[in-house]
Amino acid sequence: MSKTLMNNLIATEQGLLSHTLPAQCYTSSLYHEIDVDLFIKGHWQLVAHESQLLAVGDQIVESICGIPIVIVRSDETTVKAFYNVCKHRAGPVAKTNTNSKVLRCQYHGWTYDLNGQLKVAPEMKSTPSFELANYQLAPILVECWNGFIFIALNEPSHTVDNLLAGVADLIKPISFEDMQFSHRQEYIIDCNWKVYMDNYLEGYHLPVVHPELNKLLDYRLYQTELFEHYSYQSSPMSSSTDSTSFYGEGKAHYFCLFPNMMLNILPNRIQTNQIYPIDRNHCRVVFDTYYSDCHKTEVKKMIEADKQFSDDVQLEDIGICQDVQKGLESGGYQRGIFCSARETGVQHYQYKVDAAYKLQGHLIDVLAK
Ligand code: FES
Ligand SMILES: [Fe+2]
């Protein structure tokens, strides 16, 4: 899409949605069900990194909004994903991350090869019309991008390349290729997943919610740019504060890729962040962090400091998101208005959510009120 077309589209979007989504979108179980279908199953989900699946037979077990999934390296050049659901009576074919030449059901022992084809089914020979060849694990779409492995439960409208178009250029000289997986941190938060997304999409709350992070970034130069599939927040960084000097000089890059993925990129460090709805007022937040030269002593020190600082910032965000959820459920709030100087990212995001609801016929009655 050309830059002019994109700017026109974004201007139109901003014109169309000057007020926030109604509270019901964050509080009703109906919208939870709609969200899982529209925004989780129908979009690419980052599930692993190729460095976690180096050997043939390596397997990773994942659950996305309660849907069991197994990702396997089936040969030197191929990663596959399947529903982790046996075709006999729906048992799991993998329970933990492991390496094995097969996927063996934990219920009655049916055994599949790494392509998902059933190979062994104990005591089934006398069962009329049963043939091994007729049973395969249900496959899931997989795409890899710069080592990151994405899956999709329903076919998305665009490729992973389209989703991330331009990101690698925007973060130069930082490079995805230089990064090695270091650790995962997970949080269960008492708020609707979109509350967490909205909160990520603006730096407006930095001075109030994150005083230490605000010292690291330059609030006056903090900016948001909008792209077809993501918004991009960035700020110069200062290494002059005691608590954050371990990051060094450079730029902080924050990408929010529609609908539920973030990239938090600082010098020598890339952090991915997936947000999954659990129910109408709980979500699961998964951070995976990567560094260049993970094994160097000075990088190990930085990792420990970064973990502590990231956790502190995360706890501040969790606190405000949980408070906002209570506010949305209070009955004393219906819709708010965006700050045009600071909240274009939230506005862009909510426009896309609203448009997806309307496209699927989930017209929100309360919007007319
Ligand atoms: S459910 Fe898998 S073998 Fe029975
Ligand atoms: Fe925040």
Side-chain angles (χ1 to χ4, degrees), residues 86 88-91 105 107-110:
C86 177
H88 175 221
R89 280 181 39 227
C105 181
Y107 202 173
H108 313 97
W110 283 25

Side-chain angles (χ1 to χ4, degrees), residues 79-80 86 117 203 209 220 234 263 302 352:
V79 171
K80 293 193 170 177
C86 177
Q117 175 61 52
V209 177
R220 289 161 311 155
S234 62
L263 292 171
M302 178 206 174
K352 287 168 93 67

Side-chain angles (χ1 to χ4, degrees), residues 333-348:
Y333 176 91
Q334 181 50 36
R335 304 181 74 174
I337 186 165
F338 297 112
C339 167
S340 59
R342 291 283 180 184
E343 292 183 308
T344 52
V346 196
Q347 191 177 28
H348 180 231

Side-chain angles (χ1 to χ4, degrees), residues 169-187:
D169 285 337
L170 286 165
I171 66 166
K172 280 178 181 169
I174 303 167
S175 159
F176 287 99
E177 285 165 13
D178 297 341
M179 298 291 162
Q180 295 137 23
F181 176 73
S182 168
H183 59 272
R184 170 169 286 201
Q185 290 163 291
E186 286 199 36
Y187 302 84

Side-chain angles (χ1 to χ4, degrees), residues 257-277:
L257 296 120
F258 191 82
N260 67 325
M261 176 183 171
M262 292 93 149
L263 292 171
N264 308 318
I265 301 174
L266 303 177
N268 302 311
R269 182 268 238 176
I270 288 181
Q271 187 178 61
T272 66
N273 187 2
Q274 290 286 136
I275 316 304
Y276 297 113

Side-chain angles (χ1 to χ4, degrees), residues 82-332:
F82 305 98
Y83 286 86
N84 187 2
V85 181
C86 177
K87 288 293 184 170
H88 175 221
R89 280 181 39 227
V93 296
K95 284 291 268 184
T96 54
N97 297 355
T98 187
N99 179 279
S100 171
K101 297 283 177 283
V102 295
L103 293 148
R104 184 168 184 267
C105 181
Q106 305 296 301
Y107 202 173
H108 313 97
W110 283 25
T111 302
Y112 302 79
D113 68 16
L114 298 177
N115 295 308
Q117 175 61 52
L118 183 62
K119 290 293 186 185
V120 177
E123 302 181 67
M124 287 296 291
K125 277 205 177 83
S126 58
T127 302
S129 75
F130 174 79
E131 285 182 44
L132 290 174
N134 292 340
Y135 293 86
Q136 298 87 27
L137 296 174
I140 292 173
L141 294 170
V142 177
E143 280 192 20
C144 296
W145 183 91
N146 272 303
F148 294 99
I149 300 168
F150 291 79
I151 62 105
L153 296 161
N154 297 333
E155 186 148 8
S157 62
H158 49 267
T159 63
V160 172
D161 268 352
N162 291 147
L163 172 68
L164 287 138
V167 170
D169 285 337
L170 286 165
I171 66 166
K172 280 178 181 169
I174 303 167
S175 159
F176 287 99
E177 285 165 13
D178 297 341
M179 298 291 162
Q180 295 137 23
F181 176 73
S182 168
H183 59 272
R184 170 169 286 201
Q185 290 163 291
E186 286 199 36
Y187 302 84
I188 304 295
I189 306 179
D190 300 345
C191 71
N192 182 275
W193 71 287
K194 298 191 295 297
V195 170
Y196 192 90
M197 298 304 303
D198 291 348
N199 176 66
Y200 181 89
L201 282 153
E202 43 88 0
Y204 194 22
H205 69 275
L206 272 174
V208 181
V209 177
H210 305 301
E212 283 302 312
L213 179 59
N214 198 34
K215 286 184 205 163
L216 172 70
L217 304 177
D218 188 334
Y219 187 70
R220 289 161 311 155
L221 297 179
Y222 194 101
Q223 60 176 8
T224 301
E225 294 167 68
L226 307 179
F227 294 82
E228 185 174 9
H229 297 300
Y230 56 86
S231 69
Y232 169 49
Q233 300 170 77
S234 62
S235 166
M237 288 170 63
S238 158
S239 60
S240 56
T241 59
D242 290 345
S243 58
T244 51
S245 55
F246 47 89
Y247 288 121
E249 299 279 352
K251 201 171 174 187
H253 310 265
Y254 301 107
F255 295 89
C256 180
L257 296 120
F258 191 82
N260 67 325
M261 176 183 171
M262 292 93 149
L263 292 171
N264 308 318
I265 301 174
L266 303 177
N268 302 311
R269 182 268 238 176
I270 288 181
Q271 187 178 61
T272 66
N273 187 2
Q274 290 286 136
I275 316 304
Y276 297 113
I278 295 175
D279 59 24
R280 64 177 190 84
N281 56 3
H282 295 90
C283 62
R284 173 181 167 229
V285 175
V286 183
F287 291 96
D288 283 339
T289 310
Y290 301 78
Y291 300 89
S292 52
D293 301 318
C294 262
H295 306 297
K296 282 189 181 165
T297 310
E298 64 270 26
V299 178
K300 281 185 182 160
K301 276 189 199 155
M302 178 206 174
I303 291 173
E304 286 316 305
D306 183 29
K307 269 187 194 167
Q308 186 59 54
F309 186 67
S310 297
D311 197 50
D312 291 346
V313 172
Q314 176 65 6
L315 293 178
E316 291 164 351
D317 280 324
I318 288 173
I320 194 62
C321 286
Q322 294 186 159
D323 285 343
V324 166
Q325 184 68 31
K326 287 179 194 146
L328 290 164
E329 292 181 1
S330 67

